[in-house]
Amino acid sequence: KTAGPVLCASASADGSAKVWDITQHLLDATTNGGSSGIRDKKDLNEPPSSSSSSSSASKKKKQQQIAAITSSTGTNHPASFFASVATRLDPKLSLFGHNRGINDVTWSPTGSYLATASDDKTLRLWSAETGDAYVEFRGHTNFVFSCRFNPQSNLLVSGSFDETVKLWDVRCGECVATLPAHSNPVTGVDFNRDGTCIVSGSYDGLVRIWDTATGECLKTVYAEGNPPVGGVRFSPNGKFVLSGTLDSKLRLYEVSGRYGGDGGGTTFGNSNGIHHRGGLHGQYRPNLRGGKCAKTYAGHDNTKFCAFATFLTANPRRQCVVSGSEDGNVYLYDLQSRLVKQTLEGHHDAVLAVDAHDSLELIGSGGMANDKLVRFWAPV
């Protein structure tokens, strides 16, 4: 266990990124709001993962200036388990350096660094402790829209409007591979849990899985009607890919087959409710004949902008898929039943940025220009 604060990073169309320390505010809010899965300060300062960070990134046209621990109303569920007390926060760090808007911000798995992707066609590496800019990554010829670290924190993958996926050496900023990945802008990239594979999504409607070492395309999947893909995310066990598309749907694709491991850890299920135990020890690799859509989640509004979606799996008893929405709400879908478990209301413009903490029941969300808020949601 690594002791440390609970941090969130946000980024904005104004070209800045901010780091928020919500440790004490989260403790106060959950203590004052009622019973919670977070019981005392030890739970906050010693999460069971090596990184104590949760990122909430922003997409194009969104501006985020202030943050708040906020209250929610669970309009679609009788028990509103995500709520808290409204509190105004000030950022711990403000990061300046890009000369155009930032589309994505991501934490290194160690929690030591942040990376940002910008409309100025560059990425930057920052110290999460001091806010100093370490490395600038140059090579894309159009807006850089998405970025993620590999689990070892020595590689960074990026997706761009130039239709390529690039792989970067974090230490020196050198581009070590360029994949001519898609025929339209690349809107999302992610590594699987051991870093051996990369997933990319694009406005061409395709989701592709790549071998990190060779650059080989291992699998291509797409939805009926070929709607543009606005974001992609590997599941924590690496067996599934979550794809958000501009037809107001999220699709969970089964993309991998099991090998190795002892079968313990986090549980994910398929459309028949059969559980595949992979989690912390089970490993998965791409199954070239797979790629079926295991689940579809619908209820949010997403037809215009690229919106984030993610997994909330800190509590095995209520695993969720979390999505932003153009109606200004955050939607929590039950991972297994696909039903809307709760709607989090509080933003006053489209919510494109959402993320969830790996080991705490904590969600961050960011609103667009008419809202300019980052909100954090915790159970009470």
Side-chain angles (χ1 to χ4, degrees):
K1 294 181 180 181
T2 302
V6 180
L7 303 177
C8 175
S10 64
S12 171
D14 65 8
S16 72
K18 298 184 187 298
V19 177
W20 312 88
D21 185 342
I22 61 173
T23 311
Q24 188 60 47
H25 298 279
L26 181 60
L27 178 64
D28 293 343
T30 54
T31 300
N32 295 334
S35 60
S36 168
I38 303 169
R39 292 175 295 278
D40 53 39
K41 192 170 182 178
K42 180 179 179 181
D43 291 330
L44 293 178
N45 287 339
E46 296 185 356
S49 61
S50 60
S51 172
S52 59
S53 304
S54 173
S55 68
S56 178
S58 69
K59 284 297 190 185
K60 278 177 70 65
K61 300 184 180 178
K62 176 153 61 315
Q63 296 177 343
Q64 301 172 328
Q65 302 295 336
I66 58 177
I69 297 285
T70 187
S71 60
S72 71
T73 55
T75 57
N76 293 81
H77 194 268
S80 302
F81 57 86
F82 273 85
S84 58
V85 180
T87 304
R88 176 72 174 263
L89 304 180
D90 294 317
K92 175 186 177 182
L93 293 173
S94 295
L95 313 178
F96 299 99
H98 289 290
N99 57 38
R100 297 193 68 178
I102 300 174
N103 296 311
D104 200 1
V105 58
T106 186
W107 290 90
S108 68
T110 62
S112 301
Y113 306 105
L114 291 162
T116 49
S118 172
D119 279 356
D120 65 11
K121 306 176 187 178
T122 71
L123 301 101
R124 288 178 183 254
L125 181 73
W126 310 83
S127 167
E129 182 177 353
T130 65
D132 293 335
Y134 286 152
V135 182
E136 185 178 40
F137 305 85
R138 291 184 172 270
H140 281 296
T141 60
N142 209 327
F143 308 143
V144 190
F145 210 65
S146 181
C147 59
R148 286 291 182 274
F149 286 94
N150 70 338
Q152 296 76 30
S153 298
N154 64 331
L155 294 175
L156 186 69
V157 66
S158 60
S160 168
F161 266 51
D162 65 13
E163 303 176 2
T164 69
V165 171
K166 288 183 180 290
L167 199 61
W168 308 86
D169 186 322
V170 170
R171 294 164 294 183
C172 63
E174 179 183 354
C175 179
V176 297
T178 298
L179 308 178
H182 293 275
S183 59
N184 270 304
V186 179
T187 53
V189 290
D190 195 15
F191 280 101
N192 67 344
R193 66 181 303 274
D194 63 4
T196 58
C197 293
I198 295 166
V199 62
S200 64
S202 167
Y203 257 56
D204 62 13
L206 303 181
V207 174
R208 286 185 161 147
I209 311 293
W210 307 87
D211 186 296
T212 303
T214 67
E216 177 187 2
C217 182
L218 303 174
K219 185 188 300 292
T220 300
V221 297
Y222 55 90
E224 183 179 357
N226 210 40
V229 176
V232 289
R233 181 67 64 93
F234 267 109
S235 64
N237 64 7
K239 185 174 182 180
F240 298 91
V241 165
L242 182 66
S243 169
T245 48
L246 271 65
D247 58 356
S248 299
K249 292 181 180 178
L250 301 170
R251 293 174 174 87
L252 193 65
Y253 293 101
E254 187 173 357
V255 297
S256 301
R258 174 74 181 281
Y259 73 95
D262 65 3
T266 306
T267 300
F268 274 84
N270 64 16
S271 57
N272 297 319
I274 301 173
H275 292 77
H276 304 271
R277 298 186 61 83
L280 298 177
H281 302 287
Q283 299 282 338
Y284 292 91
R285 63 185 176 190
N287 177 352
L288 299 182
R289 295 176 296 177
K292 69 174 181 179
C293 181
K295 293 181 183 292
T296 300
Y297 306 89
H300 62 289
D301 181 14
N302 184 204
T303 60
K304 298 178 182 178
F305 305 108
C306 295
F308 280 145
T310 192
F311 297 93
L312 177 65
T313 57
N315 186 340
R317 295 172 296 176
R318 51 188 186 204
Q319 295 182 331
C320 297
V321 170
V322 183
S323 175
S325 177
E326 291 164 14
D327 63 11
N329 298 324
V330 178
Y331 285 78
L332 275 63
Y333 295 97
D334 184 273
L335 181 64
Q336 300 292 345
S337 71
R338 299 166 290 174
L339 298 176
V340 176
K341 198 165 189 175
Q342 189 175 357
T343 303
L344 308 181
E345 300 175 357
H347 289 285
H348 303 291
D349 202 350
V351 177
L352 305 186
V354 295
D355 208 352
H357 199 283
D358 291 339
S359 55
L360 300 175
E361 289 194 274
L362 175 63
I363 297 169
S365 60
M368 283 184 65
N370 291 328
D371 182 71
K372 299 182 182 179
L373 285 175
V374 180
R375 293 185 180 271
F376 305 107
W377 313 82
V380 295

